[in-house]
Amino acid sequence: IGGDIRSYYNAIWQRFQPDGCTIEILALLSQVRGSIDEQQLIAMMHDHDSYKFASSITEFKHLLKEQDTTKKYEIYHSSFSLYITNRLGLTIVKHTNDQIAQYCEANVDSTYSRENYLHHLVNSSQTQRGLTLCDQEWADNCAKHDVSPDIVMHDIKECLGIAVDKDLPITVIRLMLLAQRMENRNDSIMVNDVDKFVDINIAFEKPDVAIKYIVRDNILLIDLLQALKYLVIFYELGYNEQALQLSGS
């Protein structure tokens, strides 16, 4: 983080009340992946007080991405997330991930929990539990619940990196083999069966899943003619959000 931006963040940080819940909310927002629903964020807090939350969030709303009517929150710039992480230190960061992991354990059927539980567990005080959880059964369960293959591969590689750092050779070999199997599976889907996966999810009225096989990080995963076909289908079925995402790729 550059000197000017750090000074700006320092000035903001000094205005926060250390005995309030503002710092706890910032800690949680610095560790969650992507945007988080307001009620989910409140449920992650030690004191599930929506009134305290509402009064605290106003202190730094200008540092969050613009909200829509769904009341989802996300820190606007990654530099502020990094600043918060560095400011809090490793112990509090691990404790914060403990809080989020506990929320995920209590809400196993939520999309956020399915997509992010392993990530938070392995970055918490229970790293070894996270490394143990990262196996074929976990990966298959992710696929069953339409978790993006990119998220699955990211978390496997994250666990692999931690296992290397902790000098756990058996775990490293196991995770390398898991990563290889999942990469082969994903490559096979993209080469041979992408149309089938997209069509099945559209048929089951799951456009948010279908789009994952068409676009990744605003990059088309299929050829232009296929993309145009699905663009028409999305518009015809009223899946405007996915159509806009596809047209912007």
Side-chain angles (χ1 to χ4, degrees):
I1 304 174
D4 290 342
I5 192 69
R6 183 182 294 276
S7 297
Y8 172 63
Y9 291 154
N10 281 336
I12 293 172
W13 191 268
Q14 289 168 7
R15 297 202 301 266
F16 297 148
Q17 296 295 324
D19 56 346
C21 63
T22 301
I23 292 177
E24 181 186 12
I25 296 169
L26 284 169
L28 290 166
L29 286 172
S30 74
Q31 297 305 304
V32 295
R33 291 202 291 197
S35 60
I36 187 77
D37 179 79
E38 180 175 280
Q39 291 307 311
Q40 290 178 313
L41 186 55
I42 292 171
M44 291 174 184
M45 295 168 59
H46 285 304
D47 184 0
H48 312 317
D49 191 322
S50 57
Y51 295 104
K52 288 182 180 178
F53 174 86
S55 61
S56 296
I57 202 79
T58 58
E59 293 189 57
F60 55 89
K61 259 191 175 180
H62 60 292
L63 294 167
L64 304 179
K65 290 188 177 178
E66 189 172 333
Q67 290 183 54
D68 55 23
T69 56
T70 59
K71 284 198 172 182
K72 288 181 175 288
Y73 296 94
E74 183 177 359
I75 290 175
Y76 182 78
H77 201 280
S78 59
S79 64
F80 190 46
S81 293
L82 180 60
Y83 173 85
I84 297 168
T85 299
N86 291 337
R87 184 91 190 198
L88 295 175
L90 183 60
T91 300
I92 295 179
V93 167
K94 282 184 173 292
H95 177 70
T96 302
N97 278 288
D98 280 330
Q99 285 180 246
I100 303 172
Q102 287 169 11
Y103 166 83
C104 293
E105 289 169 358
N107 299 271
V108 293
D109 291 330
S110 76
T111 299
Y112 188 88
S113 299
R114 287 171 175 161
E115 293 183 344
N116 299 288
Y117 176 51
L118 175 60
H119 167 73
H120 292 299
L121 191 62
V122 83
N123 284 288
S124 73
S125 62
Q126 304 177 77
T127 301
Q128 187 55 53
R129 272 189 65 202
L131 294 177
T132 302
L133 177 65
C134 186
D135 60 11
Q136 190 66 58
E137 182 180 358
W138 163 80
D140 290 343
N141 191 56
C142 286
K144 178 182 176 182
H145 291 99
D146 303 316
V147 176
S148 167
D150 289 345
I151 291 177
V152 174
M153 286 307 305
H154 173 278
D155 288 355
I156 293 172
K157 290 177 180 178
E158 182 177 37
C159 289
L160 179 57
I162 291 171
V164 169
D165 290 342
K166 288 183 171 294
D167 193 20
L168 302 171
I170 295 176
T171 303
V172 167
I173 292 170
R174 177 178 65 79
L175 292 174
M176 287 179 67
L177 292 172
L178 176 61
Q180 185 179 50
R181 289 195 300 273
M182 297 310 296
E183 283 179 341
N184 290 339
R185 177 192 291 182
N186 294 341
D187 289 344
S188 174
I189 289 172
M190 295 315 301
V191 172
N192 301 315
D193 300 310
V194 64
D195 278 350
K196 295 177 185 176
F197 277 86
V198 175
D199 292 343
I200 288 170
N201 283 292
I202 290 175
F204 280 96
E205 299 181 351
K206 297 164 74 174
D208 54 328
V209 177
I211 195 69
K212 294 177 183 178
Y213 294 97
I214 301 173
V215 177
R216 181 185 302 162
D217 296 328
N218 289 325
I219 298 173
L220 279 177
L221 302 176
I222 57 179
D223 64 47
L224 187 57
L225 286 176
Q226 286 178 303
L228 289 172
K229 179 186 80 171
Y230 287 120
L231 182 62
V232 172
I233 290 173
F234 283 147
Y235 274 125
E236 288 179 343
L237 294 175
Y239 300 143
N240 295 330
E241 181 181 343
Q242 288 73 25
L244 287 172
Q245 185 178 347
L246 179 52
S247 63
S249 303

